[in-house]
Amino acid sequence: KTLDLQGPLIDKFGPTDPAQFATLPRDPSGLLAMALPPAGEISALATNMTLGPHGKLNFLTNPIEEGHEYAAAGVDVSVQAAGWLERARDAAGAAALLANHVKTMHDDGAYTAAVPNLPGSACRKDTNKYSGNSEFTCEAARGRYEFCLFGNTLKDAQQKAAAQYLMLGTLSVDAPITS
């Protein structure tokens, strides 16, 4: 069944000519330019990347359930810079995505606090499974964008989320998707 479902999707794939790799656009959606950039030296392999809706599934904890949430919200592109920034179909889609993420935080007991003066936002404390160190994640939305930022302290994550919110405020965040 898996192959039957994947076959038509694979048939739609149009490979890029390797000779064109050097001329591929770095930020084809323009969304990466709207994301809070990572601080300092970039060492993570998955930083400054743009993913379509199927590519993002590889980074979700529960790709089946969360994939349905992303599809319902109309997420067409996700980027990772200092954190994740996703573009939903509209503000309602971004709000629904945020509500699902906040519900998950409450359900698993990881909810810590909100970002001050950012309605609907939420933060959680996690323990890095490799280093054992605490890290914080804050999620919020503005217009049709939902975002998640990371920090070593709660204040760091909250400030990054606030900065991302302000960056999106300089754009027409409620404009419908045209691409």
Side-chain angles (χ1 to χ4, degrees):
K1 181 176 179 177
T2 299
L3 291 175
D4 291 339
L5 293 171
Q6 291 297 313
L9 294 174
I10 292 169
D11 291 342
K12 290 180 186 177
F13 176 72
T16 301
D17 177 1
Q20 300 300 315
F21 284 172
T23 61
L24 288 175
R26 181 169 173 82
D27 185 13
S29 68
L31 190 60
L32 190 56
M34 297 165 47
L36 185 70
E41 181 108 5
I42 301 168
S43 60
L45 177 65
T47 300
N48 287 333
M49 70 175 169
T50 301
L51 299 169
H54 290 97
K56 175 66 184 209
L57 296 177
N58 291 297
F59 295 89
L60 299 176
T61 306
N62 183 342
I64 294 173
E65 182 179 323
E66 291 176 274
H68 291 302
E69 293 169 2
Y70 277 69
V75 174
D76 68 332
V77 66
S78 299
V79 298
Q80 185 173 21
W84 286 100
L85 174 60
E86 277 126 10
R87 182 174 67 188
R89 177 178 31 260
D90 52 27
L97 199 59
L98 176 62
N100 288 333
H101 292 167
V102 172
K103 181 183 180 313
T104 299
M105 284 184 198
H106 283 283
D107 288 351
D108 69 14
Y111 177 77
T112 305
V115 179
N117 303 311
L118 236 134
S121 66
C123 301
R124 72 176 171 259
K125 179 180 179 181
D126 295 309
T127 301
N128 185 298
K129 64 182 175 183
Y130 302 109
S131 68
N133 296 331
S134 291
E135 50 193 19
F136 293 84
T137 303
C138 291
E139 304 228 15
R142 184 161 193 175
R144 67 180 198 195
Y145 302 96
E146 196 274 343
F147 51 92
C148 173
L149 280 294
F150 314 102
N152 293 324
T153 65
L154 177 60
K155 185 174 183 175
D156 182 35
Q158 289 173 327
Q159 288 178 337
K160 288 177 181 177
Q164 179 65 77
Y165 184 86
L166 290 173
M167 286 177 67
L168 291 171
T170 64
L171 309 165
S172 178
V173 295
D174 291 319
I177 294 174
T178 58
S179 60

